[in-house]
Amino acid sequence: AGSLMTTKHSQPQSTFAKSLTSTSTNAPYLKAAESTEIPSYMTKCPSNGLCSRLPPDCMTCNTNYSCVYGKPATFDCKVKPHVHCVDENNQEQENFTVNMTCQFCWQLATTDYVCTNSTNCMTVSCPRQRYNATCTVRDHIHCLGNRIFPKMLYCNWTGGYKWSTALALSITLGGFGADRFYLGQWREGLGKLFSFGGLGIWTLIDVLLIGVGYVGPADGSLYI
């Protein structure tokens, strides 16, 4: 009888032990499944393209401390996991070099990054206001440091000058320099006045330049 009782009690224990064992063996399997997820940067990384033309988010590069600011420099780079690229001979490679200008991202030209706009800027202000913006480097540009950085930018503002008024003055009284006087460009206005609009040639040119918005207020503000 004693042996039967022992056998009856040992079965639930063995079942519980099996459940513990199965749970513990499933944990590494779940972690392995999570590790197979595609990283977010893969959406920017073309498959089997040239390694030297990959976007910066697809590679990791060593800083070249011997580079001279503003001069071309070579950096040793390596592709990130799951990224596949080739060299000029169509051979797959992981380590390669990239040529770029030795400068930090925040020192790039304004055309090389995109910044957020401010909704708190005043349209009319003197002196001209600045605002804190967050800028992101474009995908095809290589640079040193953080690719997302803060920057103080000028607000887009207007001094109250109307484009329609400037264009109307240029068409009707442009030969007397009225359009240039209106925009605050006194020297050009006097030049047109005493030359009778450059004998008409300067007048026609100003009509075109003001019409396309190339000539604006002298203070650098925007038209209304």
Side-chain angles (χ1 to χ4, degrees), residues 81-97:
H82 307 287
V83 178
H84 301 280
C85 62
V86 297
D87 57 11
E88 289 77 4
N89 298 323
N90 205 28
Q91 299 293 326
E92 187 171 355
Q93 63 177 169
E94 294 184 358
N95 300 306
F96 55 95
T97 59

Side-chain angles (χ1 to χ4, degrees), residues 54-57 59-64 67 69 75 77 98-109 112-113 135-149:
L54 285 174
D57 290 337
M59 65 181 75
T60 303
C61 299
N62 296 326
T63 304
N64 186 352
C67 69
Y69 171 73
F75 294 82
C77 302
V98 171
N99 297 320
M100 69 178 81
T101 304
C102 182
Q103 60 183 349
F104 288 98
C105 295
W106 58 270
Q107 296 172 318
L108 292 171
D112 293 335
Y113 53 83
C135 302
T136 305
V137 181
R138 299 185 185 274
D139 290 340
H140 64 283
I141 302 297
H142 293 273
C143 56
L144 302 177
N146 296 327
R147 299 184 61 81
I148 300 177
F149 53 90

Side-chain angles (χ1 to χ4, degrees), residues 36-49:
T36 59
E37 294 182 359
I38 300 177
S40 58
Y41 58 78
M42 286 296 296
T43 57
K44 300 181 180 179
C45 306
S47 179
N48 296 327

Side-chain angles (χ1 to χ4, degrees), residues 1-11:
S3 61
L4 289 175
M5 291 180 63
T6 304
T7 304
K8 289 181 180 180
H9 286 288
S10 62
Q11 288 179 353

Side-chain angles (χ1 to χ4, degrees), residues 1-215:
S3 61
L4 289 175
M5 291 180 63
T6 304
T7 304
K8 289 181 180 180
H9 286 288
S10 62
Q11 288 179 353
Q13 290 177 357
S14 61
T15 304
F16 180 71
K18 288 181 179 180
S19 64
L20 289 178
T21 306
S22 61
T23 304
S24 61
T25 54
N26 285 338
Y29 177 77
L30 293 175
K31 292 182 179 179
E34 292 177 356
S35 63
T36 59
E37 294 182 359
I38 300 177
S40 58
Y41 58 78
M42 286 296 296
T43 57
K44 300 181 180 179
C45 306
S47 179
N48 296 327
L50 287 176
C51 294
S52 58
R53 295 185 180 180
L54 285 174
D57 290 337
C58 306
M59 65 181 75
T60 303
C61 299
N62 296 326
T63 304
N64 186 352
Y65 293 101
S66 61
C67 69
V68 180
Y69 171 73
K71 300 294 183 180
T74 302
F75 294 82
D76 296 324
C77 302
K78 182 179 181 180
V79 294
K80 290 184 177 180
H82 307 287
V83 178
H84 301 280
C85 62
V86 297
D87 57 11
E88 289 77 4
N89 298 323
N90 205 28
Q91 299 293 326
E92 187 171 355
Q93 63 177 169
E94 294 184 358
N95 300 306
F96 55 95
T97 59
V98 171
N99 297 320
M100 69 178 81
T101 304
C102 182
Q103 60 183 349
F104 288 98
C105 295
W106 58 270
Q107 296 172 318
L108 292 171
T110 55
T111 55
D112 293 335
Y113 53 83
V114 179
C115 299
T116 57
N117 294 322
S118 175
T119 57
N120 298 323
C121 283
M122 296 180 61
T123 56
V124 180
S125 65
C126 186
R128 192 175 180 183
Q129 285 186 334
R130 289 175 178 261
Y131 69 96
N132 293 318
T134 301
C135 302
T136 305
V137 181
R138 299 185 185 274
D139 290 340
H140 64 283
I141 302 297
H142 293 273
C143 56
L144 302 177
N146 296 327
R147 299 184 61 81
I148 300 177
F149 53 90
K151 200 174 184 68
M152 292 288 293
L153 299 178
Y154 280 110
C155 292
N156 291 330
W157 66 294
T158 177
Y161 298 95
K162 293 183 178 181
W163 173 82
S164 57
T165 302
L167 181 61
L169 289 174
S170 183
I171 296 174
T172 57
L173 300 174
F176 301 100
D179 50 353
R180 294 283 183 164
F181 287 127
Y182 172 73
L183 295 175
Q185 301 176 7
W186 297 96
R187 293 180 181 178
E188 291 81 355
L190 291 174
K192 292 182 69 174
L193 177 62
F194 290 110
S195 66
F196 300 101
L199 299 179
I201 299 176
W202 194 348
T203 302
L204 293 176
I205 294 175
D206 270 359
V207 171
L208 294 176
L209 294 179
I210 293 176
V212 299
Y214 185 81
V215 173

